[in-house]
Amino acid sequence: MRTKRFICVLLVIVMLAALTIPIASANTGTWVRQGTSWFYEDEYGNRYAGGRYFIEGTWYFFHDNGVMATGWNLEGITWRYYHTNGAMATGTVNIDGVTYTFAQSGALITDMEGIRNGWHQQNELFYFYRNGVLQQGWQLIGSDWYYFNPPSGAMATGWFPALNISAGTRYFLHADGRMATGWHQIGNNWYYFHPTNGAMATGWLLLGTSWYFLNNQSSLNNLPTGARLTGAHRINGIMHEFNAHGVWQGQAVAKWNGWYQENGDWYFYRNGVGLMGWHRIGNHWYHFGVNPENGQAGFMQTLAWVYDEKTGDRFFVGADGIMVTGWVFYEDHWYFLNAAGIMTRDAWVRHGGFWYYFGSDGIMLADEWLRDSTGMYFLQANGAMATG
């Protein structure tokens, strides 16, 4: 009974494997090694890629980028194994202490004599067995790590964990389940996964002599956590510049002189240093401070009172940041600032032929009586002192 079952399984696998037509080769090419990767080029210098090739009596598999496959490889719905020299495994093979059986087509036979070993597919999900035991959690298979969701044992793909939990470590698993390492583009962003453990990098990263920054601030230009930065970005209150490949180019502000706008706010720099306090630029006075939202110096204040702690005087800057003189209407009240920009308080002001009075808070009095050392006066609804 077991023999019949094995024969049936073997026939199904052979039929599935036949659906993928192997690419034959005249074997007139040359093996080429680059670093730790092997390629095969034909007599015209074209590299074999994207399938299986029969070379000098042996089947090999080359990925889309031309790199010769080693280890486990999922081809359609069929798993095959390629030795360290790239040769496709057939027959009975011991891999990492587990015995597997492969058809002559290289297809893995997942059921042998009632004991399930290796990869198994069910309902479009993949599972892995060792000597009949369903594997769960992280598993090293060949030279690659995979994760199998407990308790089902289904192979995980995509982000793991699926939700972006800022306090935890994230990994990325390819469509064939292999844990990602190194640089990978996922969607529109690039990420880096440490080669030693696959953990997604965040924050500053030094590779060789180049620095990168992988987003660790959820609010940073709405980029997802771990995304590689390019262009100009503020990190801990300081602007930094990155080229198109994410390599850090230095502090962006070191190159700035003059006006600079960011997110609707204006800053002014001299030799890369943000101005602070009062400064005359052109024919106008402006007041610069620290942006309360990001801590960046050189922030031009607008529509705000500026208080001088030394003198106790108050000034006002308008929507354009320019210090105001004369009349100011702000939050339903009228104020008057002299030629030096100082707010008038507890004093009369003659303007346009009329007299006005401003209280201790600088607000113009209106529609009320005022008594001072010289007599009683009535201030009309427009603030002008009544006469006659």
Side-chain angles (χ1 to χ4, degrees):
M1 188 68 178
R2 289 183 177 178
T3 302
K4 291 181 179 179
R5 183 182 180 189
F6 168 68
I7 293 173
C8 291
V9 171
L10 182 59
L11 286 173
V12 170
I13 292 173
V14 171
M15 291 173 66
L16 288 173
L19 295 176
T20 303
I21 301 174
I23 305 174
S25 140
N27 303 327
T28 56
T30 305
W31 286 99
V32 177
R33 182 174 184 176
Q34 290 184 356
T36 58
S37 300
W38 282 95
F39 304 84
Y40 193 84
E41 298 180 351
D42 63 19
E43 63 270 29
Y44 304 107
N46 300 313
R47 288 182 174 176
Y48 289 7
R52 284 187 295 142
Y53 292 81
F54 194 64
I55 302 172
E56 298 177 358
T58 303
W59 284 102
Y60 299 85
F61 186 93
F62 297 89
H63 297 292
D64 291 340
N65 61 0
V67 175
M68 181 191 75
T70 59
W72 289 103
N73 195 53
L74 179 61
E75 301 165 23
I77 62 171
T78 303
W79 283 97
R80 290 183 172 86
Y81 184 84
Y82 297 87
H83 296 288
T84 54
N85 65 354
M88 183 184 74
T90 59
T92 300
V93 181
N94 186 284
I95 304 172
D96 298 329
V98 179
T99 300
Y100 301 89
T101 301
F102 300 89
Q104 287 302 306
S105 66
L108 171 68
I109 300 173
T110 57
D111 261 326
M112 285 295 296
E113 298 299 321
I115 298 177
R116 185 167 287 171
N117 260 313
W119 292 101
H120 179 75
Q121 184 183 16
Q122 182 177 349
N123 298 328
E124 299 184 356
L125 297 175
F126 286 95
Y127 303 83
F128 193 82
Y129 290 82
R130 284 194 171 99
N131 298 322
V133 178
L134 176 65
Q135 302 298 292
Q136 298 179 14
W138 287 106
Q139 299 294 325
L140 180 63
I141 303 174
S143 58
D144 295 301
W145 283 95
Y146 299 78
Y147 187 83
F148 300 89
N149 292 306
S152 70
M155 182 187 77
T157 59
W159 286 105
F160 174 77
L163 296 178
N164 185 0
I165 303 173
S166 58
T169 301
R170 296 195 83 194
Y171 306 85
F172 188 80
L173 305 164
H174 294 291
D176 61 3
R178 290 180 299 110
M179 181 185 74
T181 58
W183 287 111
H184 285 279
Q185 184 177 15
I186 303 170
N188 295 324
N189 297 297
W190 282 90
Y191 301 81
Y192 186 80
F193 302 90
H194 291 290
T196 54
N197 58 11
M200 181 186 75
T202 59
W204 288 104
L205 174 69
L206 177 62
L207 296 178
T209 59
S210 299
W211 281 98
Y212 302 83
F213 191 86
L214 295 311
N215 185 26
N216 63 356
Q217 305 173 42
S218 59
S219 61
L220 190 59
N221 286 358
N222 296 319
L223 289 173
T225 300
R228 186 178 73 189
L229 303 191
T230 60
H233 293 274
R234 188 181 308 283
I235 301 170
N236 297 327
I238 299 175
M239 288 295 296
H240 296 264
E241 203 167 84
F242 304 85
N243 68 15
H245 301 288
V247 178
W248 181 63
Q249 303 297 294
Q251 291 187 17
V253 294
K255 305 175 183 178
W256 294 345
N257 269 297
W259 290 104
Y260 168 75
Q261 187 180 31
E262 179 188 345
N263 298 328
D265 296 323
W266 283 97
Y267 302 80
F268 196 91
Y269 294 86
R270 285 196 178 125
N271 298 321
V273 179
L275 300 186
M276 295 291 289
W278 287 106
H279 287 272
R280 186 179 179 88
I281 302 172
N283 297 321
H284 301 289
W285 284 93
Y286 301 83
H287 192 268
F288 301 92
V290 174
N291 191 325
E293 294 184 359
N294 56 37
Q296 179 64 27
F299 172 67
M300 183 188 77
Q301 295 183 280
T302 60
L303 287 176
W305 289 104
V306 179
Y307 179 71
D308 189 326
E309 295 183 356
K310 293 182 178 179
T311 64
D313 294 324
R314 297 185 72 189
F315 304 81
F316 189 83
V317 289
D320 55 4
I322 297 173
M323 182 189 76
V324 177
T325 60
W327 289 101
V328 170
F329 187 71
Y330 182 70
E331 294 184 349
D332 298 325
H333 296 292
W334 283 100
Y335 302 83
F336 191 85
L337 301 103
N338 65 20
I342 300 173
M343 182 185 75
T344 301
R345 294 184 295 177
D346 291 323
W348 287 98
V349 172
R350 184 175 177 82
H351 185 81
F354 296 96
W355 285 95
Y356 302 85
Y357 191 86
F358 299 85
S360 60
D361 55 3
I363 296 175
M364 181 192 75
L365 275 59
D367 199 21
E368 63 179 284
W369 286 94
L370 170 69
R371 180 191 294 274
D372 69 4
S373 59
T374 61
M376 287 282 294
Y377 304 91
F378 183 75
L379 303 169
Q380 302 174 81
N382 65 355
M385 182 186 72
T387 58

